[in-house]
Amino acid sequence: PFLHENELLVGSSDNAIYGFNADSGTPRWRHPMTKQVIAPPLWSAQERQYYFVDEEGIVQGLNFRRSPRWSYETGGNVYTLELTPHGLLGFSIDHAIQDATSPNNYAFMLDPSSGTELWKSVLAPGEQSYRPPVVYQGKVFIVTTHGTVVALDGETGQLVWRSGDADYPFYSKPATVRHLVFAAHSGGIIEGFNVRDGSLMGTYDCGSPIRT
């Protein structure tokens, strides 16, 4: 769900987007979609647009009256969208290719006004991501199921650095503070990396798998 002022936006498996009164839970509107909605919907007050993505990986921009403005076809599945200072950020995953070598496994940045692709960055074989990326100090940080943390330039999508492979996949959203980005993998280890160059600054063993 996405909360905007007094409106709660919810994507549904019944091929629709719903807007609810956040105080009372009363439905305000229902917008039909051709497929079920996977990623939480978004609203931009600056652009006065809604953003949705369906299970076929088609990202859509709708105006405040919920009329279509643009669409962008990823070719994969998109589980999360994020509005960032650089644009509308997402990650496409191609489940049809099990070894994750598909060119449809990539991070992308769209112009939130027009849906124009600003950049697309195809990651290395085996790198997929199911958690929202984090934008910090001009970089996009992505954690992958291959056990890597990937840093991309937020303006260009160019690779800045990539961590070494961990023994377990990363399933939790990365966190940032000061000069560090933290990632926790399913083996129960939290790793801290230098934001600038990706050097490993320290680890902490929690003793159990970490999902969030």
Side-chain angles (χ1 to χ4, degrees):
F2 180 82
L3 181 63
H4 163 64
E5 295 181 348
N6 195 40
E7 186 171 75
L8 185 66
L9 303 178
V10 178
S12 173
S13 60
D14 68 349
N15 301 356
I17 303 286
Y18 292 88
F20 294 92
N21 183 296
D23 292 329
S24 65
T26 304
R28 286 180 169 174
W29 51 265
R30 179 185 187 273
H31 180 77
M33 304 283 285
T34 57
K35 298 290 183 179
Q36 69 174 332
V37 178
I38 296 178
L42 298 173
W43 161 261
S44 169
Q46 179 177 343
E47 301 293 339
R48 293 178 62 79
Q49 285 195 61
Y50 295 96
Y51 304 103
F52 310 123
V53 58
D54 64 24
E55 66 178 339
E56 292 191 341
I58 299 176
V59 185
Q60 301 178 51
L62 280 66
N63 67 17
F64 67 97
R65 293 189 177 92
R66 297 181 296 281
S67 298
R69 290 282 303 275
W70 55 262
S71 65
Y72 173 83
E73 187 170 348
T74 65
N77 295 120
V78 180
Y79 291 92
T80 180
L81 286 175
E82 298 286 324
L83 277 168
T84 79
H86 307 286
L88 188 62
L89 173 65
F91 193 93
S92 171
I93 299 172
D94 190 347
H95 289 295
I97 300 183
Q98 298 300 316
D99 63 2
T101 59
S102 168
N104 287 332
N105 293 312
Y106 60 88
F108 61 87
M109 190 76 76
L110 307 180
D111 183 319
S113 178
S114 64
T116 302
E117 182 185 283
L118 300 177
W119 55 257
K120 179 168 72 174
S121 181
V122 179
L123 299 190
E127 290 183 329
Q128 296 178 332
S129 182
Y130 293 87
R131 292 293 179 263
V134 169
V135 177
Y136 185 64
Q137 294 186 5
K139 299 181 182 68
V140 175
F141 296 99
I142 300 169
V143 295
T144 78
T145 56
H146 203 56
T148 53
V149 179
V150 179
L152 305 176
D153 185 284
E155 289 292 334
T156 66
Q158 293 285 328
L159 178 68
V160 179
W161 55 262
R162 173 184 281 105
S163 72
D165 293 356
D167 294 329
Y168 298 88
F170 288 113
Y171 283 123
S172 67
K173 181 178 179 178
T176 57
V177 61
R178 296 180 182 172
H179 64 287
L180 297 173
V181 56
F182 295 95
H185 61 58
S186 60
I189 305 294
I190 299 174
E191 299 183 341
F193 301 91
N194 186 293
V195 167
R196 182 178 59 83
D197 59 13
S199 55
L200 182 63
M201 305 300 291
T203 62
Y204 178 77
D205 190 347
C206 295
S208 61
I210 301 170
R211 295 285 178 172
T212 181

